[in-house]
Amino acid sequence: MVGVLSGFRVEGFDIIPAILRKARLQAINVGSRDMFETMNHAIEQSGFRPVIDRVFPFERAVDALYHFAKGSHFGKICITF
């Protein structure tokens, strides 16, 4: 479940079948919209830019994925169209 910002009760969701099937539940924590907007404003004001490791053309997308899988990159790996 993603986006459970209004609480932890979900109508119609029975946790027991998930437990019996040994389902893996992975939580993703996010902040509020106000926090998101504050973060974006701070990034804009600071001039912060992401670090780009390499840029691949779309035709070499498979090479980009291999580069990512090696784990030797520092920063973002971009694929352009």
Side-chain angles (χ1 to χ4, degrees):
M1 296 184 335
V2 176
V4 185
L5 299 177
S6 61
F8 295 101
R9 291 190 161 297
V10 179
E11 285 293 321
F13 180 70
D14 184 5
I15 191 70
I16 300 302
I19 292 171
L20 293 175
R21 290 187 180 108
K22 298 181 181 174
R24 180 172 182 229
L25 303 176
Q26 179 68 46
I28 299 172
N29 299 321
V30 298
S32 66
R33 182 182 178 111
D34 286 339
M35 294 167 86
F36 178 70
E37 290 175 357
T38 300
M39 175 194 70
N40 286 329
H41 179 72
I43 290 170
E44 184 178 336
Q45 293 300 311
S46 70
F48 174 79
R49 295 288 177 253
V51 175
I52 306 294
D53 179 80
R54 286 188 58 187
V55 178
F56 291 85
F58 183 74
E59 296 77 22
R60 293 189 52 218
V62 172
D63 294 334
L65 294 173
Y66 280 121
H67 182 65
F68 176 74
K70 285 193 303 187
S72 61
H73 61 282
F74 180 84
K76 303 293 182 185
I77 300 169
C78 301
I79 300 173
T80 60
F81 288 97

